Amino acid sequence: MVNASGNVVGVVVEPAAAMEPAVLEHHGPSPRLKSAGSGGRLMAELLGVFNELTERMGEDVATSSSWSLLFRALKLALPALRDAAGGSSLARALIVAASLADLQMDAEVISAGIVRQAMDAGAVAMADAEEQLGPGAAALLRESLAVKHAPSRVDVSDEEAASAVRRLCLSSYDIRAVILELAVKLDVMKHLDAVPKHQQRTTSLEVLKVYAPLAHAVGAGALSKELEDLSFWRLYPQAYAQIDQWLSGQEDDCKNVLATSKEQLRDALAADEELSRTVDSADIKSRYKSRFSTMKKLVKDGRRPEDVNDILGMRVILDPLPGADGCRACMRTHEVIRAMWKEVPGRTKDYITRPKRDGYQSLHVAVDMSEPAPEGKKRPLMEIQIRTKDMDAAAVFGHALYKGCLTDPDESQKLKAIMLAAAEVAAQHLRDDEPTGGATATITGVGNVDRAFRQLDKNSDGRISMEELTELMDDLGAGGQDAEELMRLLDDNNDGSLTSDEFALFQKRIELKTKLEDKDAEYKEILKEKLQTVDETGLIHVYRKNLSDKLVMN
């Protein structure tokens, strides 16, 4: 509630990420789970998750070896987690896997993410993981567990100790293991209600001091902000409520302004004759300041609310044509912006002409987005950063190292060496073998049906036999009877095996069922709202609410 002075008292406002189901908002929807039971349901569950994860993976890392590894991970994890914690462990494992796929991680990392939840639940042993997934994914699992336990060795409330842990994680472990642990940590933060309060605080402090900066350091800025806000909410709920109340009051309007301004600027840059001759493309990103970041400005920096000048932010990243002057393109972009909006005097910072000591280059401009006085709506200033792609790459990497406490050049080079070594090892594990005849395997354009069919057709004879289907059902915790039932269901020509066409028909049935379920849920919400027969201001509603309140009080 709000007291007479306008201050929030005793109110805990849950962040959106904590109120929603365990789905990574900035990573899109999570893989759907089907109920386990017959062979058909088991197969639908396996294929549905496999298809969605392979679609999320980047095409540049999609190989048949990657698909095979991912398929083995799902066969290991699905039966192990299906009954753990009432099925929630399986859902959480797949959400972690989806977030890793959206972060463009390779199949070893995604597979390790699937199995990691099973290991944490005690449903899979490390020996099983190594046997099924191979040494690469098993090594990632071991290192991710080391990253998990690293903060427990020190007092992370001490900034120097937390900084040392971050340096240890970045410079001593496979960077992919760090990213795996970050995805797991986000899932953990969304399910902290299940653990005691003291553990909630301990975990939140570790995330705020160690893992959120690590997420920023590896380039997962959105993940970092979500970890920060969830930790901030758990550790300082009343302070979070104050910030949330202030930002929420203007958030809808500000986000609309951001969206409109972004389109206006994109059109203006595209129409500019000078930029059209010198710039191949202009990427514009926008953001509304997070709760935790705002708190730091108000509390740590001692600023007044009106002095927080970057609540609204846009970044223009120019890609100059070969031979073009990128610095001049940035200056011309500044001129276009100045012609569109009211620039705030004294707040422009030219780090392009005069770079910072660490080499940082960017042009910062503050513009006033308020409506005309005297009756126009007052809005926060918007900071616009202008830079080329090369400037942006150097700035992002440098700032990431700063956030991860790796400002020493030798440490930075060591981190790069670790990253390159990890990529080389992963490539060796995931590269396709050359097929017979020496031709390089090509998988470009292979669809969901072919990807899944290849995993089931183990002898590559173009058919899925009863033996192959039975082996799959055994792996999924079913038996021969389920395999026979599934064969009867799919084998249209009754020849005792499945062709790719018959398998494709089953895939289409799964996709149709999924689309219908999605549409049914959408219609349900629309009708629930439109068919509300009781006016919320009417007497019936007042009676119902009064009765409900009294029942609760009694």
Side-chain angles (χ1 to χ4, degrees), residues 75-292:
K75 287 197 298 180
L76 177 63
L78 263 59
L81 286 174
R82 187 174 290 115
D83 299 324
S88 64
S89 293
L90 178 55
R92 291 174 61 178
L94 298 178
I95 289 168
V96 168
S99 69
L100 291 169
D102 288 338
L103 287 169
Q104 298 300 285
M105 289 292 98
D106 59 64
E108 282 191 331
V109 188
I110 299 170
S111 298
I114 295 170
V115 175
R116 169 63 188 278
Q117 192 76 37
M119 292 178 62
D120 288 347
V124 169
M126 179 63 76
D128 297 323
E130 186 156 17
E131 179 183 356
Q132 294 297 321
L133 307 184
L140 283 174
L141 285 167
R142 290 191 182 92
E143 292 206 358
S144 72
L145 291 172
V147 176
K148 171 185 177 181
H149 296 301
S152 63
R153 306 172 191 169
V154 300
D155 177 10
V156 295
S157 61
D158 178 76
E159 184 54 43
E160 288 189 10
S163 175
V165 172
R166 297 198 295 269
R167 283 198 298 270
L168 170 71
C169 292
L170 285 173
S171 59
S172 300
Y173 300 115
D174 187 330
I175 197 71
R176 299 175 303 155
V178 175
I179 296 171
L180 168 56
E181 181 57 28
L182 293 174
V184 172
K185 274 292 181 288
L186 180 58
D187 174 72
V188 168
M189 287 301 299
K190 291 182 175 181
H191 295 86
L192 277 184
D193 284 335
V195 302
K197 285 286 185 182
H198 70 87
Q199 185 60 47
Q200 293 180 20
R201 297 188 184 100
T202 300
T203 301
S204 297
L205 186 60
E206 289 178 354
V207 166
L208 190 61
K209 292 290 188 176
V210 176
Y211 297 107
L214 280 177
H216 197 110
V218 300
L223 180 58
S224 175
K225 289 179 180 179
E226 194 167 5
L227 288 171
E228 285 177 339
D229 278 357
L230 286 168
S231 302
F232 177 28
W233 170 61
R234 291 281 182 182
L235 292 169
Y236 311 108
Q238 295 189 57
Y240 182 95
Q242 291 270 17
I243 295 293
D244 184 76
Q245 182 188 47
W246 182 58
L247 288 177
S248 296
Q250 53 191 341
E251 188 164 5
D252 288 344
D253 175 63
C254 285
K255 285 187 174 180
N256 287 334
V257 169
L258 276 175
T260 302
S261 302
K262 184 176 178 180
E263 290 304 313
Q264 290 174 343
L265 181 55
R266 178 180 286 113
D267 292 343
L269 296 179
D272 187 77
E273 292 185 7
E274 180 179 340
L275 289 174
S276 66
R277 295 192 305 268
T278 59
V279 173
D280 181 53
S281 64
D283 182 25
I284 304 176
K285 300 178 180 180
S286 62
R287 63 111 185 93
Y288 187 66
K289 201 165 186 65
S290 71
R291 272 60 176 164
F292 179 72

